[in-house]
Amino acid sequence: PAPGPLQGKKVLVSAGPTYEDLDPVRFLGNRSSGKMGFAIAAAAAGMGAEVTLVAGPVHLATPAGVQRVDVRSAAQMHQAVFAALPADIYIGAAAVADYTPRQPAVNKIKKSSESLALDLMRTPDILAEVAAQTQALQLVVGFAAETENVAGYARGKLEAKRLDMIVANRVGIADGGFESDSNAMTAYWKDGERAFASAPKTELARQLMQLIVERLQA
Ligand code: PMT
């Protein structure tokens, strides 16, 4: 690892979407490209951390010095994250599916009736489970992707999931959020917040990692 303020720290980052299979040819996914999480992994490695990056299906090169584990579904991401623990810092930037088909079809679902209902069940909340670990991490950071009431929902998730920090971004807008190379976001913790103005995700990741170093020392 490079010399830096995170030398000796183990940082675990999740990135990208998950794909939940409906049948052998179809899945439920989302628009996450993985760019935000990959930039965070690169920034943490640049600050001297030992970084493991659990990545959903994305088309991105592995950042230098980062150990990458590829997964597809929420269940696989859950397993890979827990296999990579213990860590000092967890940063959940992945857009994990909240629901998955209860029983993926063995064969391709055939077109027949006029409508089709899917039977979905909740996936485990990886972030909340990591935050509830008995072997406590020093800092657990979640993301909140919201289309409205960004601050309110973010603070709600900070408390409900017992996180040390949540980073909220607005999604469903033309520039920023999913897929885009740039983003704007606000980090919230118990007694503070910091807004990050719109910038390339690589730059935002460096600023966020600097804040995380400050909060570790606080
Ligand atoms: O990948 P990009 O294209 O660069 O886009 C970046 C991003 C918009 C995906 C990213 O900045 C972001 O906001 N990631 C979180 C997306 C999301 O799923 O948010 P959420 O509000 O639904 O989830 C809240 C938190 O819980 C997240 O940290 C998520 O990783 C976590 N979670 C959610 C569900 C679940 N089953 N397990 C989880 O760990």
Side-chain angles (χ1 to χ4, degrees):
L6 288 176
Q7 204 155 27
K9 299 283 184 206
K10 213 181 142 197
V11 177
L12 179 55
V13 183
S14 74
T18 66
Y19 286 177
E20 310 301 320
D21 288 336
L22 287 165
D23 71 13
V25 300
R26 306 181 181 95
F27 59 84
L28 297 172
N30 64 68
R31 291 176 180 269
S32 172
S33 64
K35 287 174 190 167
M36 193 68 236
F38 274 58
I40 289 168
M47 293 170 95
E50 188 192 315
V51 183
T52 303
L53 173 61
V54 177
V58 298
H59 303 279
L60 295 174
T62 308
V66 167
Q67 189 176 333
R68 172 175 177 174
V69 181
D70 285 314
V71 299
R72 178 175 170 85
S73 64
Q76 288 171 1
M77 185 168 280
H78 180 265
Q79 214 225 325
V81 163
F82 277 83
L85 289 175
D88 299 296
I89 302 171
Y90 178 76
I91 306 170
V96 186
D98 291 319
Y99 293 90
T100 192
R102 189 177 303 279
Q103 193 78 70
V106 177
N107 294 308
K108 186 181 169 198
I109 299 168
K110 301 305 283 181
K111 180 170 56 185
S112 53
S113 53
E114 278 309 307
S115 66
L116 173 70
L118 298 173
D119 183 14
L120 307 177
M121 62 177 190
R122 283 284 296 270
T123 56
D125 191 318
I126 302 166
L127 178 64
E129 284 188 27
V130 169
Q133 277 284 292
T134 45
Q135 195 189 13
L137 289 83
Q138 288 176 38
L139 211 71
V140 176
V141 181
F143 267 74
E146 309 290 354
T147 54
E148 47 155 4
N149 185 21
V150 179
Y153 285 139
R155 285 230 175 253
K157 285 179 187 174
L158 179 72
E159 284 189 17
K161 300 192 186 191
R162 301 176 152 277
L163 309 176
D164 298 298
M165 188 190 291
I166 191 138
V167 184
N169 46 188
R170 193 175 286 275
V171 294
I173 49 174
D175 192 31
F178 289 95
E179 294 169 319
S180 168
D181 284 332
S182 62
N183 202 6
M185 56 200 203
T186 305
Y188 299 89
W189 57 98
K190 194 164 180 278
D191 48 13
E193 62 182 81
R194 188 175 301 175
F196 299 95
S198 183
K201 286 176 177 173
T202 48
E203 175 54 31
L204 279 182
R206 280 191 289 269
Q207 293 174 10
L208 175 63
M209 287 313 302
Q210 274 163 14
L211 174 61
I212 284 172
V213 168
E214 281 173 39
R215 296 304 307 156
L216 268 184
Q217 291 157 355

